[in-house]
Amino acid sequence: MASSSRTDYEIISDPFNPECVVACFKRIQEQTEKDKFLLERIRGKEDNASRKYTDQEEYDLINKQIRKSQGFDVDFSKFRCLFDFYPSFLDECHSTLIKETDRQFFGRLSQESIADYNIREGTSFEFVEVEKANLYRNKGYMYFITFLAKDPCDQTKVFQAKVCNVLCREIEHSFCRLKPGQDECDEDSNRVVKKPRYNTRSNKRAGVTNVS
């Protein structure tokens, strides 16, 4: 069985490609009190001993982390600017159009992702819980979900799923994979699983679009 190309799941870096993810920020001097409060929740209270970066350095740093981890692992504690790429507060709701917490919402998307993974790979993983999720907001949402699933031997593995919800379009499961660097169950288990362009199961239930 042919292996999938790495470009199946890496962030596309061409700024003219509509699937490109490039985090942009609101400058510190332009931040409102509401922005500052949100940033403190994301980053934590600022330590006077912490290294201070320029706006451009923060922009370069966050996008470097996004490219390196394909959007799943970003250290938000380093930033004083507020970006349109940010972590989910799992026990809250990121959109007024969703009537459930992010933990429930991303849990549902994770269950769909692991079910598709099992069908494609012939495995029997069961969803356990959402570990974290990052959101990219630009004419809709792109979700980078990290979750736990267990195999029939009760061994827990970390999975990563990318789910797109573009404005005026259906929720689209982009891929699901085992997080790189883990011991594999078999030689093909880390292969990226591509979804068809539209996922009708999610279309009927999620219906999330960009909100102000």
Side-chain angles (χ1 to χ4, degrees):
M1 184 180 295
S3 61
S4 298
S5 167
R6 288 187 63 195
T7 57
D8 285 345
Y9 57 83
E10 286 188 337
I11 295 299
I12 298 172
S13 57
D14 178 3
F16 296 102
N17 190 309
E19 295 182 52
C20 177
V21 174
V22 178
C24 297
F25 61 84
K26 180 181 287 189
R27 295 183 183 277
I28 296 173
Q29 57 268 31
E30 299 173 354
Q31 293 174 7
T32 64
E33 289 303 314
K34 184 177 179 180
D35 292 333
K36 293 176 182 178
F37 177 72
L38 175 60
L39 183 59
E40 186 173 290
R41 292 190 66 197
I42 293 172
R43 179 197 60 211
K45 288 189 177 295
E46 192 172 13
D47 186 344
N48 291 331
S50 300
R51 177 178 175 181
K52 303 298 190 297
Y53 297 94
T54 65
D55 292 352
Q56 185 60 47
E57 286 174 333
E58 288 198 8
Y59 173 86
D60 293 339
L61 180 59
I62 191 172
N63 284 296
K64 180 180 179 180
Q65 291 187 31
I66 290 171
R67 289 191 298 272
K68 183 177 180 180
S69 69
Q70 289 89 51
F72 293 96
D73 295 310
V74 174
D75 182 1
F76 292 98
S77 67
K78 295 181 179 295
F79 307 119
R80 297 164 66 227
C81 293
L82 188 62
F83 289 89
D84 55 5
F85 188 99
Y86 53 92
S88 162
F89 300 110
L90 291 177
D91 294 319
E92 300 177 15
C93 180
H94 71 278
S95 170
T96 56
L97 300 181
I98 300 175
K99 304 305 180 184
E100 55 192 339
T101 66
D102 280 8
R103 189 179 304 279
Q104 295 168 321
F105 178 67
F106 292 130
R108 181 156 51 79
L109 296 182
S110 299
Q111 290 181 60
E112 293 177 356
S113 294
I114 199 64
D116 292 329
Y117 181 94
N118 285 335
I119 292 171
R120 300 295 182 87
E121 296 298 320
T123 52
S124 303
F125 284 99
E126 292 183 8
F127 169 76
V128 176
E129 63 179 353
V130 174
E131 191 174 79
K132 63 179 179 178
N134 292 332
L135 292 79
Y136 174 59
R137 183 176 177 179
N138 185 3
K139 297 182 179 179
Y141 286 101
M142 191 173 293
Y143 307 126
F144 299 86
I145 310 168
T146 301
F147 66 94
L148 303 180
K150 63 181 180 180
D151 62 19
C153 299
D154 276 343
Q155 291 184 320
T156 302
K157 298 290 185 182
V158 182
F159 279 81
Q160 297 173 327
K162 176 183 172 184
V163 182
C164 304
N165 185 23
V166 183
L167 186 62
C168 298
R169 290 175 56 186
E170 300 87 346
I171 286 238
E172 177 183 323
H173 287 258
S174 181
F175 71 79
C176 179
R177 68 176 182 190
L178 275 163
K179 183 174 181 178
Q182 298 177 93
D183 293 333
E184 311 300 346
C185 298
D186 58 66
E187 62 180 2
D188 288 328
S189 61
N190 194 37
R191 186 166 60 82
V192 170
V193 178
K194 295 285 287 183
K195 280 292 297 169
R197 190 161 183 79
Y198 300 105
N199 185 311
T200 54
R201 290 176 303 165
S202 289
N203 296 348
K204 296 176 182 178
R205 291 203 296 261
V208 185
T209 55
N210 192 21
V211 293
S212 300

